[in-house]
Amino acid sequence: MIDALYISATGLRSQQEQIDVISNNVANMQTPGFKKSRISFAEITGAVSEAREPAAPVFNGGGTRVLSTSTVFSGGEMRLTQNATDLAIEGNGFFELETAAGEKVYTRAGQLRVDSDGYLVSVGGLRLAQGVQVPPDAVDLRVAPTGEVTARLGNDSERTQIGAIELATFASPDGLQAIGENNFSPTAESGGASFGRPGDAGFGRLQQGYLEMANVDLIDEMTALVMAQRAYQLNARVLQASDQILETINNLRR
């Protein structure tokens, strides 16, 4: 009966973490480029009890624990913004950004802007690693589906290419580590980045004037929340029932 107390406690902790993950997913439903998280559980193996046959030991369950929390990189809705510096990736790939320390990070959030030096940067101020710089006299900025960035300079009627945007892919995107602000850093599990032009084999195409929204489905999250809430309630009842039984046993000993 003491085991039931600890087992139900592991269930309460695990379901609380599930609810925390769901809460974060729902909170970021309107965050461009956000990728939802998914939690995985594993059984805790308890002690081995005596079996009728020595060759067939019986393992008593020890409850549950959170095995991992991973990011789901399925595509989100493409939302029209008509903003020239908004870019969405239709298919595989990540934008490569460079931090002030020179480190490379990766994101699906294409809500870009032009900084005071003319560079295309993320909402958080990180420059595209390709260093695309928009001249002060540039007008009619365009980004082709294949990544070429062009504009008309001054009174020139001809378009001039001022840069190109490459995409990065990973052998195992699930292994990327979330570091906040919709940015990810590579790990040994994800492998190193491979680069290519948008539209090449294995790489998505760019859509100018669109943003990829969060891949959070409200119905899925609400369903998962109801299931997690019910599981939490049942574990709480098991904890309460175990406590009542222990109280009854203690009263019998008096």
Side-chain angles (χ1 to χ4, degrees), residues 1-2 5 242-254:
M1 191 52 62
I2 295 295
L5 289 172
S242 300
D243 179 61
Q244 290 174 348
I245 293 173
L246 285 174
E247 183 180 0
T248 301
I249 293 173
N250 288 333
N251 289 335
L252 292 174
R253 292 176 178 174
R254 293 177 182 175

Side-chain angles (χ1 to χ4, degrees), residues 37 49 67 81 106 117 145 148 163 173 187 210 229 240 250:
S37 297
S49 64
L67 182 63
T81 65
Y106 303 87
D117 295 321
E148 294 85 1
T187 64
Y210 285 83
Q229 183 181 13
Q240 185 180 23
N250 288 333

Side-chain angles (χ1 to χ4, degrees), residues 77-122:
E77 171 198 355
M78 296 291 184
R79 181 170 297 179
L80 177 65
T81 65
Q82 296 183 336
N83 188 335
T85 56
D86 285 344
L87 302 176
I89 303 173
E90 187 177 10
N92 296 329
F94 295 83
F95 296 109
E96 185 182 41
L97 306 175
E98 186 173 358
T99 68
E103 298 177 352
K104 302 297 192 297
V105 298
Y106 303 87
T107 186
R108 291 277 300 189
Q111 194 173 16
L112 306 178
R113 60 181 176 84
V114 179
D115 70 4
S116 58
D117 295 321
Y119 287 96
L120 285 180
V121 299
S122 68

Side-chain angles (χ1 to χ4, degrees), residues 2-249:
I2 295 295
D3 289 344
L5 289 172
Y6 291 113
I7 290 172
S8 57
T10 66
L12 290 172
R13 292 192 194 96
S14 296
Q15 294 307 319
Q16 180 60 62
E17 291 196 41
Q18 171 80 313
I19 293 172
D20 291 343
V21 168
I22 294 171
S23 299
N24 187 61
N25 289 342
V26 173
N28 284 282
M29 283 187 61
Q30 299 300 317
T31 303
F34 175 78
K35 297 303 176 185
K36 66 181 179 181
S37 297
R38 176 178 59 198
I39 199 164
S40 299
F41 300 104
E43 181 187 10
I44 298 174
T45 303
V48 180
S49 64
E50 295 182 0
R52 296 181 180 179
E53 298 181 9
V58 176
F59 290 89
N60 294 324
T64 186
R65 65 183 177 87
V66 174
L67 182 63
S68 66
T69 302
S70 57
T71 304
V72 179
F73 285 102
S74 59
E77 171 198 355
M78 296 291 184
R79 181 170 297 179
L80 177 65
T81 65
Q82 296 183 336
N83 188 335
T85 56
D86 285 344
L87 302 176
I89 303 173
E90 187 177 10
N92 296 329
F94 295 83
F95 296 109
E96 185 182 41
L97 306 175
E98 186 173 358
T99 68
E103 298 177 352
K104 302 297 192 297
V105 298
Y106 303 87
T107 186
R108 291 277 300 189
Q111 194 173 16
L112 306 178
R113 60 181 176 84
V114 179
D115 70 4
S116 58
D117 295 321
Y119 287 96
L120 285 180
V121 299
S122 68
V123 172
L126 302 183
R127 291 180 180 178
L128 286 175
Q130 290 81 36
V132 178
Q133 189 174 25
V134 181
D137 60 345
V139 294
D140 191 18
L141 182 71
R142 295 184 186 177
V143 181
T146 51
E148 294 85 1
V149 183
T150 62
R152 288 190 293 108
L153 304 181
N155 296 323
D156 194 348
S157 60
E158 298 293 329
R159 304 193 64 80
T160 301
Q161 182 170 340
I162 58 176
I165 298 175
E166 288 187 329
L167 296 179
T169 60
F170 296 87
S172 178
D174 292 344
L176 291 171
Q177 180 180 359
I179 57 175
E181 297 187 359
N182 290 335
N183 297 327
F184 300 87
S185 61
T187 64
E189 185 179 348
S190 69
S194 299
F195 300 96
R197 291 180 55 191
D200 287 351
F203 294 86
R205 295 168 66 85
L206 298 182
Q207 296 291 336
Q208 185 181 19
Y210 285 83
L211 281 178
E212 180 187 9
M213 300 307 293
N215 63 347
V216 178
D217 186 290
L218 181 58
I219 295 176
D220 290 344
E221 297 302 320
M222 291 303 295
T223 302
L225 179 60
V226 170
M227 296 295 292
Q229 183 181 13
R230 295 305 182 203
Y232 192 95
Q233 289 175 341
L234 288 172
N235 278 287
R237 288 180 182 177
V238 171
L239 186 67
Q240 185 180 23
S242 300
D243 179 61
Q244 290 174 348
I245 293 173
L246 285 174
E247 183 180 0
T248 301
I249 293 173

